[in-house]
Amino acid sequence: MAYVSMGEAHRRITEYMNRFCDAVSYQDSSTLCRLLSFSSNSPPLLSLADALNVFQDASSLIRQSDKFSEHGEILAHLFRSLQSYRVGNLVEAYLAFEKFANAFVQEFRNWESAWALEALYVVCYEVRILAEKADKELTSNGKSPEKLKAAGSLLMKVFGVLAGKGPKRVGALYVTCQLFKTYFKLGTVNLCRSVIRSIETARIFDFEEFPRRDRVTYMYYTGRLEVFNENFLAADTKLSYALQYCNPNRERNIRMILKYLIPVKLSLGIIPKDELLRNYNLHEYIKVVQALKKGDLRLLRHALQEHEDRFLRSGVYLVLEKLELQVYQRLMKKIYIIQKQTDPARAHQLKLEVIAKTLRWLEMDMDLDEVECIMTILIYKNLVKGYLAHKSKVVVLSKQDPFPKLNGKPVGS
Amino acid sequence: MNQGANTQTVAPLDPNSMENRYGVDGNQPQISSYQYSTGSDGTSWTSHQPVENGNYSNSNYYHPQPTGPGTGNVQEMPNTASFTSSSASGTANVAQDYSGYTPYQTPSDPHNYSNTGYSNYYSGYQQQPSQQSYPQPAGTYQNTGAPYQPLSSFQNPGSYAGTASYSGTYYNPADYQTTGGYQSTNYNNQTAGGYPSTNYSNQTPASNQGNYTDYTSNPYQNYTPDAANTPTSTIATTTPVHYQQNYQQWPDYYSQTEVPCAPGTEKSSVASAYSQSFPVPAVTSEMPASNGQPVPSYAQPWRQETGSSQPAPSQQPGVAGSTSNDAYWMHQTSTVQAHYPVPPQNHYQSPLETKPLYETPFQGHQRATYPQELNSQSSIHQAPLGYRQPTQTTPSVDTQRVSKLQIPTNPRIASNLPSGFTKMDKDSSAAGATQRPAYVSVSMPKPKDHTTAMPDPGALPKSLRGFVERAFARCKDDKEKASCQAALREIIIKAKEDKTLCTRDWDTEPLSSVLYTDVTSTESSSTLISSLQNKSPTRRPKSRWEPLTEAKPFVKSPPTFSTGVKFGGWNHQNENNKKSSESFPKVDAVTGFKPSYAGQNSAKKNFQRPVKRQRFSGGAATAIDDEASSDSDKELTPYYSSAMTLASSAEEKKRRDSRSKRFEKVQGHSRGNNLHKPKNANVGNLHSRRSPALRLSRDFDESGNRAVEDIDWDALTVKGTCQEIEKRYLRLTSAPDPSTVRPEDVLEKALLMVQDSQKNYLYKCDQLKSIRQDLTVQRIHNHLTAKVYETHARLALEAGDLPEYNQCLSQLKILYAEGIEGCSLEFAAYSLLYITLHSNNNRELLSSMSRLSEEAKKDEAVRHALSVRAAVTSGNYVMFFRLYKTAPNMNSCLMDLYVEKMRYKAVTFMSRSCRPTIPVSYLVQVLGFASASTEGSGGKEIDGMEECSEWLKAHGAALIADSNGDMLLDTKASATSLFMPEPEDAVAHGDRNLDVNDFFTSSRTL
């Protein structure tokens, strides 16, 4: 930490307060954002933090001027938070920032126009980020992390401020997205429901009027929720919307969307191009897609096993696992095609023996009962048309379109 | 601010003044007085006196107090003794002492009482004392005697005329105990009982303890008569006339004061905790009364005393004492009244709201008042002053150290004073129990009381009862009694904490500690309150629980323990009272004046007692309530009885006999006792029921600031003593009783018993729940705990009791997280299966799967569970039923619950996919109907066939028979006809094995 003289510290603090008060009085949101953005680690803020550490009694400076003391509470908490943040005491920094945020939101509530929305966004973002950092610190100290939860309730409060009618409603979706991030991180996604209801049932405000970035984020998270519920059609809609409106330059965001959209599309029978997977660094899906194309059950299982942790964490494991039936279907189709080439007359009769033999080649050791069971399921799920003659151990395929394509419909429907 | 300043200033001042005073008093008067007392009382007294004298005479006296509460108690005892002695010994000495004190007083006064009014009072007091001198006091005493009579007419008549009346009054107090009316009643009684010492002692107990009602009533009643008898015989007769005139005016005051007292008590009771609150209220009321009508408050006690003395000749001895007391009182009242009023006001008003403030003010006031009194009436007042000063000092000390120190000090004192204690005990037994009797030779009646009391109680050690009785017997005044009660309470609580309640030799326990506490408590009411607050938290937390465990063996039940603790406090007070009473007798024997001093002290104590009560109420109010609630008679009697047994000496036996005789004589008392008993019993039941909760609540109340996390749960943990292996589960509605909780080794046996038991699940579940409860109550978290929960979880799985299983599993997760090695993998598998098959929550499944370690995935059970999950998610019924047959551990039990669904699913699939038919034999094989038995055995096959066809029919499948007579499933027909039948035997808890009838039958057989 560079040495800062008392006078310099005094100057920096006073300058900051001047800028803050000017920003508020001129309703200069962008300046205010810069003044509040901790996580940007901007040089001015860092130097201010150093100055605050030198000049301990910033509150006396706040009291010196009426202009400053008007925002005295906000500034005092902000300074304390910045000071703690600078010295690495993140828990303290969060606590002070939470107080600052409360004071700021209170002030924001009093401003009639929504000029400070951007600043509020920054505050919401910083609260969440600080809470996450503080939780990390708490965890490393062996204490129970609880700051993110507190941040969640604070954000909920902010959402309440914005969710009503009026110009400030535009900001509600941003806060909703911050809430999503918080809840997903906490694993309390069921708390999202109330927020979603509030957003989707409000007829007074068209969803399209929200900022695009917020809409994309919102759709991404709600799409993820649908994936968990295995509601593939809805998930496809939402994630596709997100992909459609996502800034094409934000590759990371696109990748995040694709991470969920691809499994959804796969389970709807839609297979992505390899380019897409490669372009967006989604290699974990390459083998899965190949298995689907080839009907290679072994490959699918290997792929799932290989990336099990990742798929489990992202929550697509079960979705991908269900692709197995499609792989079976592909396999049956291959057998059917081969039979058609060799013996067109009896091509529509798939002997369970043959299937079991095929599976053995794939190192899937199954007896006839199991094969029969799988065929039963395939027929039942309408992946195979036909019937199974139990007595003769033969699957009799329909002569018309024995392997219907999903065509965007989920399996079993 | 003033108060605070006063406290600070006072503390320093007091020591000095105290030392000086003590030095003076102790040097000459005390010793002499002791001697006198000893002469009058007998050897027992001498023994006590020496101790007391030593304390008093020594400048250490004050110092000791600061060091520890126990010392403070001891000091108090000496102080009282010294006072009485000083008064008895000679006015001249006292006067000198007081003169010496006066300077202190003045300084203390300014500090304490910033108010000019106080200074005036002081000056007036000083002047008056000087003028009054001994002769005047005597006159005053006489006068007081007269007024007393009228006053006594209220309560006294009953008490004196018939012991029954007293008992009645006492009983009422007992009833009131909870309400808080006690103090007022007590006061009335006390005053009525007139006698100061005896009455006070009785009163204080009664007022202080609802619990004690029996005690108080019995002992006190006895005492009062005795005391009255003894003193009155000589002095009372003469004095009454004068007093009457003076006091006639007082009656009015009394009436007024009485009224205020009652309300005050009520208020106080409400404000304060349970029983304790009562005492406090009473005090407060009294104090306000004294403030508003300072004279009246004093007058009441005095009047009552006088009245008591006058009404009954037998009481006259008491009157004599009272007269002397009255004289003191008079002085006090005249001078003191003014003084007191002011101080009380300050103290009480502020004190009521803030205890700390009170303490300081009280100290200051007390000190101030003491000096004033001393100055004003050298001889008479001196004694009071000396008392007060000591008390003041003690209070200050108490405030500073009281809470923590007192407890320890008591033991010390005991150790120091063992010889004295034994003597004390004797005294108490003779003089204390029938303290006055010893003095008057009327001791016989008291013994009776004691004896009566003895039989009733059964919970507390007899020796402890004897100790309490002794203490109360010594109490000169109500104040002393109150303080004594408080001290006794503390001692008993301590004893419980130390678990020495039963083991301690109460017969040899020095009363000095109690008496000291009395003085401190009475005089430094404010300080006491603070001290109580301070002390109560430290002591009570321990006492509540630790005592419980220990006490239980002694007392039969937790409530009794609590009562015992409370009673202990009361006992202390009683002891103090006894001591004071004893001192009074001594004084009486020596001179009439000494009694008067005692009376003054008592009066002061009365005022102060309330304070003490307040303290107790604040901290130990609940405890007091409990005590009060619990049958004080019963509990106390045990103590007494134990004391009796312990005291095997011939003297003790003689005393007992005499007591019993007295008891027989005192019918009124007995009546009173009877009356009290029912009430007490009721209260006791209520209290006993509440007691555990109360203790907890008390802890909170007492600690006040204490956060829940600060509670020492280890101290609260129960250590079971039950050796029964079998125990039915009963949901706890109160704190567990160690006698019904099994220790760990017994629980281990119980677990084995359950595991080996051939009885049904309901029995096992009941047993396991009781084991779990005992484990929880004793906070046992180890492999045994895990074993119990695992066993229960497996049994629950076996019986399909999922709710119970889930309870166990959630506990097991905690235990495993704590690193306790159990079958964690086995239960991880169960957990996986449960989520897969029953919760159907993908997120939960994903997270639990992602949490599985590599090691866990290699475990057979876990692998099996994962395979089952895969089979279920893919609908692979063949795989599922194969896994079902090969399930390790209890996995199949969890799968059992899914078999029905899986079969239905499978049949649905097949009837949709397969054509034209499927042989039932195939279904039997694939869908696990043949169970795990070898498929080759024909019989089982057939059983499976029948079971399968039954199942298929029940689910609407169409069955046909082919030419060979084999049953076939007509898939096409079945495809549309299959349905999931409503489970006929559906039960809310999901297992028909647990249907109501089974439950009833099983529960009957349990």
Side-chain angles (χ1 to χ4, degrees):
Chain A
M1 194 182 300
Y3 173 76
V4 182
S5 73
M6 208 61 161
E8 173 68 7
H10 183 278
R11 192 192 61 74
R12 284 187 197 168
I13 294 167
T14 314
E15 185 199 347
Y16 180 86
M17 289 195 293
N18 269 321
R19 291 178 64 189
F20 183 88
C21 293
D22 289 347
V24 170
S25 57
Y26 295 119
Q27 304 198 341
D28 182 353
S29 193
S30 59
T31 306
L32 202 54
C33 287
R34 256 177 278 129
L35 292 174
L36 299 178
S37 181
F38 277 29
S39 53
S40 65
N41 284 329
S42 63
L45 274 179
L46 292 181
S47 65
L48 172 68
D50 291 340
L52 285 168
N53 277 321
V54 171
F55 196 88
Q56 291 288 342
D57 192 15
S59 57
S60 65
L61 280 180
I62 296 172
R63 281 195 299 271
Q64 278 176 4
S65 161
D66 286 346
K67 190 170 87 168
F68 299 156
S69 57
E70 187 183 344
H71 307 293
E73 198 190 352
I74 293 176
L75 285 170
H77 290 309
L78 186 61
F79 284 162
R80 207 168 307 130
S81 178
L82 189 59
Q83 208 174 327
S84 305
Y85 182 75
R86 181 60 170 157
V87 298
N89 192 343
L90 294 170
V91 176
E92 285 298 316
Y94 170 76
L95 289 174
F97 198 87
E98 195 184 66
K99 284 181 186 143
F100 155 76
N102 273 313
F104 184 82
V105 169
Q106 193 58 45
E107 199 67 19
F108 180 84
R109 203 196 289 266
N110 296 333
W111 293 328
E112 288 203 0
S113 75
W115 68 268
L117 260 184
E118 287 299 324
L120 188 69
Y121 292 165
V122 172
V123 171
C124 289
Y125 176 77
E126 295 297 341
V127 161
R128 184 174 65 83
I129 297 299
L130 261 180
E132 284 174 12
K133 288 178 178 170
D135 273 355
K136 218 173 273 177
E137 186 180 299
L138 282 173
T139 310
S140 66
N141 292 339
K143 293 170 188 165
S144 66
E146 56 193 8
K147 297 303 170 211
L148 192 57
K149 215 169 167 184
S153 48
L154 175 68
L155 289 172
M156 204 65 190
K157 208 155 92 184
V158 178
F159 180 79
V161 172
L162 299 174
K165 289 181 187 175
K168 294 176 187 173
R169 173 150 183 107
V170 183
L173 203 60
Y174 181 87
V175 183
T176 304
C177 294
Q178 295 300 322
L179 274 172
F180 281 160
K181 290 174 186 174
T182 306
Y183 290 150
F184 270 84
K185 190 124 191 170
L186 286 172
T188 55
V189 291
N190 51 325
L191 294 176
C192 298
R193 227 177 295 155
S194 62
V195 192
I196 293 172
R197 206 182 305 128
S198 167
I199 292 291
E200 295 192 348
T201 60
R203 300 288 176 223
I204 50 169
F205 197 91
D206 190 0
F207 184 75
E208 294 299 323
E209 290 180 42
F210 286 115
R212 189 166 85 165
R213 101 186 143 167
D214 295 340
R215 278 184 280 144
V216 170
T217 313
Y218 176 84
M219 281 303 186
Y220 166 73
Y221 279 107
T222 50
R224 277 186 65 181
L225 286 175
E226 298 295 350
V227 173
F228 282 134
N229 298 332
E230 303 198 353
N231 199 347
F232 296 125
L233 283 177
D236 180 37
T237 312
K238 289 178 183 293
L239 290 171
S240 299
Y241 183 99
L243 186 66
Q244 181 185 346
Y245 289 96
C246 186
N247 186 336
N249 297 325
R250 297 276 181 170
E251 281 197 23
R252 189 169 162 273
N253 286 348
I254 290 174
R255 182 171 176 271
M256 283 171 71
I257 296 168
L258 287 176
K259 246 165 114 178
Y260 292 91
L261 186 57
I262 287 172
V264 169
K265 289 283 189 190
L266 285 177
S267 54
L268 295 177
I270 299 164
I271 294 177
K273 291 179 180 169
D274 283 351
E275 288 172 34
L276 181 76
L277 300 179
R278 293 211 171 79
N279 285 346
Y280 291 98
N281 200 24
L282 294 164
H283 295 291
E284 67 264 30
Y285 288 123
I286 290 176
K287 279 187 181 174
V288 176
V289 171
Q290 279 178 358
L292 265 180
K293 283 178 180 167
K294 291 186 188 169
D296 189 344
L297 191 62
R298 180 180 49 183
L299 188 61
L300 178 71
R301 293 198 173 177
H302 283 177
L304 276 178
Q305 205 167 0
E306 188 181 342
H307 302 286
E308 191 182 66
D309 283 346
R310 184 184 300 197
F311 292 147
L312 279 175
R313 259 185 284 114
S314 65
V316 297
Y317 183 86
L318 296 179
V319 178
L320 295 176
E321 200 182 44
K322 286 204 160 65
L323 296 177
E324 209 171 74
L325 289 179
Q326 288 190 57
V327 177
Y328 277 121
Q329 183 202 33
R330 194 78 187 172
L331 188 61
M332 299 307 128
K333 194 172 180 180
K334 278 181 138 180
I335 297 171
Y336 170 74
I337 290 167
I338 292 170
Q339 282 187 352
K340 221 174 178 178
Q341 291 168 351
T342 56
D343 187 3
R346 303 175 63 181
H348 62 281
Q349 287 187 2
L350 290 182
K351 287 184 181 168
L352 295 182
E353 277 286 348
V354 174
I355 298 170
K357 204 180 199 176
T358 315
L359 287 172
R360 267 200 294 280
W361 287 342
L362 289 171
E363 297 171 14
M364 301 278 126
D365 201 9
M366 291 187 189
D367 63 13
L368 288 185
D369 283 348
E370 258 186 280
V371 174
E372 183 179 335
C373 172
I374 285 163
M375 293 315 297
T376 307
I377 294 169
L378 285 176
I379 297 168
Y380 179 82
K381 300 269 186 188
N382 207 25
L383 287 167
V384 173
K385 272 191 174 178
Y387 65 89
L388 188 144
H390 174 76
K391 216 173 178 179
S392 50
K393 305 285 180 194
V394 169
V395 175
V396 181
L397 297 175
S398 163
K399 291 189 176 160
Q400 282 185 336
D401 191 18
F403 302 100
K405 289 184 179 176
L406 287 172
N407 284 330
K409 287 179 207 156
V411 171
S413 64
Chain B
M1 294 303 290
N2 292 335
Q3 294 175 348
N6 291 335
T7 57
Q8 292 177 349
T9 57
V10 172
L13 291 175
D14 291 343
N16 295 333
S17 64
M18 292 299 289
E19 290 177 354
N20 293 333
R21 295 174 184 174
Y22 283 105
V24 176
D25 294 343
N27 291 337
Q28 297 174 349
Q30 290 178 348
I31 295 170
S32 63
S33 66
Y34 282 108
Q35 293 174 351
Y36 288 109
S37 64
T38 56
S40 64
D41 294 346
T43 57
S44 65
W45 286 99
T46 57
S47 65
H48 291 291
Q49 290 172 351
V51 175
E52 294 175 354
N53 291 336
N55 294 333
Y56 287 106
S57 64
N58 293 340
S59 60
N60 296 336
Y61 183 58
Y62 294 96
H63 296 290
Q65 290 177 349
T67 56
T71 58
N73 295 334
V74 175
Q75 291 174 353
E76 290 176 356
M77 293 298 290
N79 290 337
T80 56
S82 66
F83 287 109
T84 57
S85 67
S86 65
S87 64
S89 66
T91 57
N93 293 337
V94 177
Q96 292 175 352
D97 296 343
Y98 287 105
S99 65
Y101 288 100
T102 54
Y104 288 98
Q105 295 172 351
T106 55
S108 65
D109 294 342
H111 292 288
N112 297 331
Y113 303 93
S114 60
N115 297 336
T116 56
Y118 285 102
S119 64
N120 293 335
Y121 287 110
Y122 288 111
S123 63
Y125 281 106
Q126 292 175 352
Q127 291 174 353
Q128 292 175 349
S130 64
Q131 292 174 349
Q132 291 173 347
S133 73
Y134 283 96
Q136 291 177 349
T140 56
Y141 286 112
Q142 293 173 352
N143 294 335
T144 56
Y148 284 109
Q149 292 175 349
L151 295 174
S152 65
S153 65
F154 290 94
Q155 299 169 344
N156 292 337
S159 64
Y160 285 95
T163 55
S165 65
Y166 276 109
S167 64
T169 56
Y170 287 107
Y171 291 110
N172 293 335
D175 298 340
Y176 288 94
Q177 291 169 348
T178 55
T179 56
Y182 286 106
Q183 290 180 344
S184 63
T185 58
N186 293 333
Y187 281 105
N188 295 335
N189 293 335
Q190 291 174 351
T191 56
Y195 184 80
S197 61
T198 56
N199 292 337
Y200 285 109
S201 64
N202 293 332
Q203 291 172 353
T204 53
S207 63
N208 289 337
Q209 307 164 344
N211 299 335
Y212 288 94
T213 55
D214 295 343
Y215 276 104
T216 58
S217 65
N218 294 334
Y220 289 106
Q221 292 172 351
N222 295 330
Y223 288 93
T224 56
D226 295 343
N229 293 334
T230 59
T232 54
S233 63
T234 57
I235 301 167
T237 57
T238 58
T239 55
V241 176
H242 300 283
Y243 286 100
Q244 289 175 348
Q245 294 174 349
N246 294 335
Y247 286 94
Q248 288 173 351
Q249 296 173 349
W250 294 102
D252 299 340
Y253 290 98
Y254 275 103
S255 62
Q256 294 175 350
T257 55
E258 290 175 354
V259 173
C261 287
T265 56
E266 291 175 354
K267 294 175 182 176
S268 62
S269 64
V270 175
S272 62
Y274 302 88
S275 61
Q276 293 174 349
S277 65
F278 293 103
V280 176
V283 175
T284 56
S285 65
E286 291 177 357
M287 294 303 286
S290 65
N291 293 336
Q293 299 172 346
V295 176
S297 65
Y298 285 99
Q300 291 177 345
W302 295 96
R303 292 174 184 175
Q304 292 175 348
E305 293 175 356
T306 57
S308 66
S309 64
Q310 289 177 350
S314 64
Q315 296 172 349
Q316 288 175 352
V319 174
S322 66
T323 56
S324 65
N325 293 331
D326 294 344
Y328 290 102
W329 290 98
M330 292 297 290
H331 294 289
Q332 292 178 348
T333 55
S334 63
T335 58
V336 174
Q337 286 172 350
H339 294 290
Y340 279 101
V342 176
Q345 289 175 350
N346 295 337
H347 295 291
Y348 285 101
Q349 293 172 349
S350 62
L352 293 175
E353 295 175 354
T354 60
K355 293 177 179 179
L357 295 177
Y358 285 102
E359 293 177 355
T360 58
F362 279 105
Q363 294 176 351
H365 291 292
Q366 291 174 350
R367 294 173 184 175
T369 57
Y370 289 109
Q372 291 174 353
E373 293 176 356
L374 292 172
N375 293 333
S376 64
Q377 299 173 347
S378 61
S379 64
I380 298 168
H381 289 285
Q382 286 172 352
L385 291 173
Y387 283 107
R388 293 177 182 174
Q389 289 174 348
T391 56
Q392 290 173 354
T393 56
T394 55
S396 64
V397 174
D398 291 343
T399 55
Q400 295 173 349
R401 307 173 181 177
V402 171
S403 61
K404 296 175 182 176
L405 294 177
Q406 286 178 348
I407 297 171
T409 54
N410 290 334
R412 295 175 187 173
I413 295 167
S415 64
N416 293 334
L417 301 175
S419 62
F421 284 104
T422 55
K423 294 177 181 179
M424 292 297 287
D425 293 341
K426 294 177 180 178
D427 294 345
S428 63
S429 62
T434 60
Q435 298 165 349
R436 293 176 183 175
Y439 292 104
V440 178
S441 77
V442 181
S443 60
M444 294 303 289
K446 292 178 181 178
K448 294 176 182 177
D449 293 344
H450 289 288
T451 56
T452 56
M454 297 291 285
D456 292 346
L460 298 178
K462 295 176 182 179
S463 60
L464 179 54
R465 288 183 203 158
F467 180 65
V468 172
E469 287 182 357
R470 274 177 259 143
F472 276 107
R474 293 202 180 173
C475 293
K476 299 170 184 177
D477 301 345
D478 295 346
K479 290 180 182 177
E480 286 186 355
K481 290 179 181 177
S483 63
C484 187
Q485 284 182 347
L488 286 172
R489 255 185 254 145
E490 291 179 354
I491 288 175
I492 293 181
I493 291 170
K494 291 175 186 175
K496 286 185 177 179
E497 292 176 356
D498 300 336
K499 302 185 177 180
T500 58
L501 184 63
C502 297
T503 57
R504 197 187 279 186
D505 185 356
W506 291 104
D507 292 331
T508 58
E509 193 83 354
L511 291 175
S512 60
S513 62
V514 176
L515 292 177
Y516 282 111
T517 54
D518 292 346
V519 176
T520 55
S521 63
T522 56
E523 291 181 356
S524 63
S525 61
S526 62
T527 54
L528 288 175
I529 295 170
S530 64
S531 66
L532 288 174
Q533 292 174 345
N534 296 333
K535 294 176 181 178
S536 62
T538 56
R539 294 177 182 177
R540 287 177 184 172
K542 295 177 183 176
S543 65
R544 292 172 187 171
W545 292 97
E546 292 179 356
L548 291 175
T549 56
E550 293 178 355
K552 287 181 179 179
F554 296 104
V555 186
K556 295 170 181 179
S557 60
T560 57
F561 283 103
S562 65
T563 57
V565 176
K566 297 174 181 180
F567 283 106
W570 293 103
N571 291 339
H572 292 291
Q573 291 180 350
N574 292 334
E575 289 181 355
N576 291 335
N577 292 334
K578 291 178 181 178
K579 292 177 182 179
S580 65
S581 65
E582 289 179 356
S583 65
F584 282 105
K586 293 177 182 179
V587 174
D588 294 344
V590 176
T591 60
F593 292 96
K594 292 178 180 177
S596 68
Y597 282 98
Q600 289 177 349
N601 294 335
S602 65
K604 293 177 182 177
K605 291 177 180 176
N606 289 337
F607 289 98
Q608 294 171 348
R609 287 173 186 173
V611 177
K612 291 179 180 178
R613 294 172 186 174
Q614 288 177 349
R615 300 170 186 172
F616 285 99
S617 65
T622 55
I624 293 172
D625 291 345
D626 288 353
E627 292 177 356
S629 66
S630 63
D631 297 358
S632 61
D633 294 350
K634 294 178 182 177
E635 292 178 354
L636 289 175
T637 50
Y639 284 102
Y640 284 106
S641 63
S642 65
M644 294 296 288
T645 56
L646 290 175
S648 61
S649 66
E651 292 180 359
E652 272 294 321
K653 291 178 180 176
K654 290 178 182 177
R655 288 170 191 165
R656 290 179 200 167
D657 294 342
S658 63
R659 284 178 201 160
S660 62
K661 290 177 183 176
R662 290 174 193 169
F663 220 85
E664 292 175 357
K665 292 176 182 177
V666 183
Q667 295 177 349
H669 288 287
S670 64
R671 292 176 191 172
N673 290 335
N674 292 333
L675 293 173
H676 287 286
K677 289 178 181 178
K679 295 175 182 178
N680 289 336
N682 292 335
V683 180
N685 291 336
L686 288 173
H687 283 279
S688 64
R689 275 183 235 131
R690 287 189 282 168
S691 62
L694 282 177
R695 281 175 213 144
L696 273 178
S697 64
R698 266 182 250 153
D699 288 336
F700 289 108
D701 294 344
E702 293 171 5
S703 57
N705 301 334
R706 234 201 211 176
V708 174
E709 52 265 27
D710 289 338
I711 293 176
D712 183 5
W713 292 108
D714 288 328
L716 302 180
T717 303
V718 172
K719 280 274 168 279
T721 60
C722 178
Q723 295 298 313
E724 297 270 322
I725 288 175
E726 211 174 352
K727 176 184 166 188
R728 289 218 59 180
Y729 171 74
L730 197 66
R731 187 178 179 129
L732 282 176
T733 56
S734 63
D737 179 356
S739 66
T740 62
V741 174
R742 293 163 292 184
E744 189 174 340
D745 57 325
V746 177
L747 289 175
E748 217 149 347
K749 289 176 195 157
L751 178 61
L752 279 177
M753 183 273 293
V754 172
Q755 283 171 336
D756 296 341
S757 170
Q758 298 299 315
K759 298 190 183 179
N760 67 2
Y761 169 72
L762 285 172
Y763 169 80
K764 291 180 180 175
C765 181
D766 182 80
Q767 289 298 313
L768 284 167
K769 279 183 133 177
S770 76
I771 293 172
R772 280 160 53 183
Q773 184 188 63
D774 286 356
L775 288 169
T776 306
V777 156
Q778 300 178 82
R779 297 174 68 227
I780 296 173
H781 269 252
N782 55 21
H783 66 284
L784 175 65
T785 319
K787 214 164 154 189
V788 169
Y789 278 103
E790 284 169 357
T791 305
H792 199 177
R794 288 189 195 111
L795 284 173
L797 280 182
E798 206 170 11
D801 186 357
L802 288 182
E804 203 61 50
Y805 162 80
N806 277 326
Q807 280 186 32
C808 294
L809 195 65
S810 60
Q811 279 298 316
L812 281 172
K813 278 177 182 170
I814 296 170
L815 289 168
Y816 293 150
E818 286 176 3
I820 295 170
E821 275 299 317
C823 309
S824 58
L825 291 181
E826 177 190 339
F827 281 90
Y830 296 155
S831 169
L832 257 181
L833 282 175
Y834 185 84
I835 296 168
T836 306
L837 303 176
H838 302 286
S839 78
N840 200 24
N841 183 326
N842 282 334
R843 281 192 58 81
E844 203 181 334
L845 180 58
L846 283 167
S847 64
S848 71
M849 282 175 70
S850 63
R851 275 197 301 269
L852 287 175
S853 64
E854 283 303 317
E855 180 198 5
K857 284 174 187 167
K858 286 173 189 162
D859 182 78
E860 185 199 351
V862 175
R863 264 195 293 124
H864 177 266
L866 287 171
S867 307
V868 171
R869 183 209 61 78
V872 169
T873 47
S874 65
N876 192 330
Y877 50 86
V878 172
M879 179 74 83
F880 178 88
F881 284 103
R882 281 182 186 166
L883 290 168
Y884 179 62
K885 285 175 185 170
T886 62
N889 299 328
M890 312 283 299
N891 284 10
S892 62
C893 292
L894 273 169
M895 295 171 73
D896 265 337
L897 304 173
Y898 198 75
V899 162
E900 168 82 2
K901 278 185 200 169
M902 203 66 197
R903 281 175 179 163
Y904 181 77
K905 227 180 190 177
V907 173
T908 313
F909 288 174
M910 285 188 266
S911 47
R912 175 95 171 268
S913 310
C914 302
R915 291 291 183 273
T917 59
I918 297 176
V920 172
S921 59
Y922 174 77
L923 293 178
V924 168
Q925 176 213 331
V926 169
L927 299 184
F929 281 105
S931 69
S933 63
T934 58
E935 293 162 12
S937 68
K940 299 238 174 142
E941 189 94 356
I942 292 168
D943 288 346
M945 284 287 288
E946 283 183 4
E947 187 188 347
C948 183
S949 47
E950 284 300 313
W951 187 91
L952 288 170
K953 282 174 188 167
H955 290 76
L959 294 179
I960 52 174
D962 67 359
S963 55
N964 296 333
D966 291 339
M967 295 293 286
L968 299 175
L969 175 67
D970 186 348
T971 54
K972 193 166 187 178
S974 301
T976 53
S977 64
L978 280 176
F979 65 94
M980 201 69 162
E982 282 294 320
E984 297 163 5
D985 51 2
V987 189
H989 45 74
D991 187 350
R992 65 187 158 207
N993 293 330
L994 299 176
D995 67 10
V996 176
N997 288 333
D998 188 15
F999 177 79
F1000 283 137
T1001 54
S1002 64
S1003 63
R1004 238 178 272 126
T1005 60
L1006 280 178

